[in-house]
Amino acid sequence: MIDSKQASEALNDIDDTVRRVRQSQIYQVSSLVMLMWGVLAFVGNVAGWLWPRYGLYFWFTVYGVSAIGFVALSAYHRSKDRIRVFDSRYFLTFALIAAFGIFCCYFGHFTPRQQTVFWPIYIMLFYMMAGVWFGHAFLVIGATIIALTLIGYAYIPGISLLLWMAVVNGGGLTVGGLWMRRS
C-alpha cells in the first residue's frame, strides 16, 4: 500500500509527464508549420524585392500555398497518428485573424513599408499568446522576430527592408521551427 503522500507524488509525476508529452506534440506540429511558413515568408519577401510591382500577387500565392500546406500536414498527421491536427475551426480562426489584419491595414491607410512590418508583428502576437499556453519557445520566437522587425523598420531604408524581412521573418521562423523540433 502507498500512503497519501506517495500517491500525490505519483499523480504529480503523471501530470508532469502528460504535460511534457502534450507540449512535445504541439511543438512537433508547430515546428512543421513554422518551417513551412519560414520558407514561404522568405520566398514572398525576396520575390517582392525582386519584382516589387507584383508583391501583392506573390503574397496571395504564399497564402494559397500555405493553405494547401496546412491541408497536407493535417492529412499526413491524420493518417500517421490518427490525430486531427487542423480542422475547419483552424481555418475559420486564420480567416478571422486575416480579416482583422486587412481591416486594420485598410482603415489604417498603411503604406507598403508599414504593411511589411505590420503582418509579421501582428502574427507574432499570436505566437506569443500561444507561448503563454503551450510553451516558452513561442514567446522567445515571437519576441525575437518582433524586435528584429522593429529594428529593421527603424534602420533599414527603402525596399531593402524586404531582404531584411526575408532573413528576420523567414529565417526566424525556420530557425524557430528547427529549435522546436529539438525541444
Side-chain angles (χ1 to χ4, degrees):
M1 281 237 141
I2 62 173
D3 62 16
S4 63
K5 182 179 179 191
Q6 291 172 325
S8 177
E9 288 173 359
L11 287 174
N12 286 339
D13 287 343
I14 291 169
D15 285 343
D16 186 52
T17 302
V18 168
R19 182 191 57 76
R20 280 190 269 144
V21 167
R22 182 172 177 240
Q23 182 181 32
S24 175
Q25 289 174 334
I26 290 169
Y27 275 19
Q28 179 186 14
V29 173
S30 297
S31 69
L32 292 174
V33 172
M34 289 175 74
L35 289 168
M36 176 184 72
W37 260 105
V39 170
L40 291 174
F42 184 85
V43 169
N45 281 299
V46 169
W49 178 75
L50 290 171
W51 301 283
R53 167 180 260 173
Y54 303 105
L56 183 63
Y57 300 111
F58 291 130
W59 282 104
F60 283 144
T61 303
V62 163
Y63 296 136
V65 170
S66 75
I68 293 167
F70 281 127
V71 170
L73 282 173
S74 179
Y76 170 74
H77 278 283
R78 181 89 165 141
S79 67
K80 183 180 128 189
D81 301 329
R82 296 280 192 222
I83 297 171
R84 179 173 285 170
V85 177
F86 299 105
D87 60 20
S88 60
R89 293 176 298 165
Y90 288 99
F91 284 110
L92 179 58
T93 302
F94 295 137
L96 292 170
I97 290 169
F100 184 76
I102 291 167
F103 176 83
C104 289
C105 289
Y106 179 78
F107 288 107
H109 304 290
F110 292 174
T111 65
R113 182 175 176 82
Q114 291 168 333
Q115 286 189 35
T116 298
V117 298
F118 168 77
W119 285 102
I121 290 171
Y122 176 56
I123 297 303
M124 288 305 114
L125 166 68
F126 294 100
Y127 274 75
M128 292 176 69
M129 286 191 286
V132 171
W133 293 96
F134 304 119
H136 298 301
F138 289 105
L139 282 168
V140 172
I141 293 164
T144 302
I145 290 174
I146 287 173
L148 292 172
T149 297
L150 291 172
I151 289 168
Y153 183 72
Y155 296 108
I156 306 292
I159 199 164
S160 299
L161 179 63
L162 290 173
L163 292 178
W164 174 262
M165 292 309 300
V167 172
V168 167
N169 193 21
L173 288 170
T174 301
V175 168
L178 292 172
W179 177 42
M180 288 178 81
R181 289 191 73 71
R182 296 190 62 201
S183 296

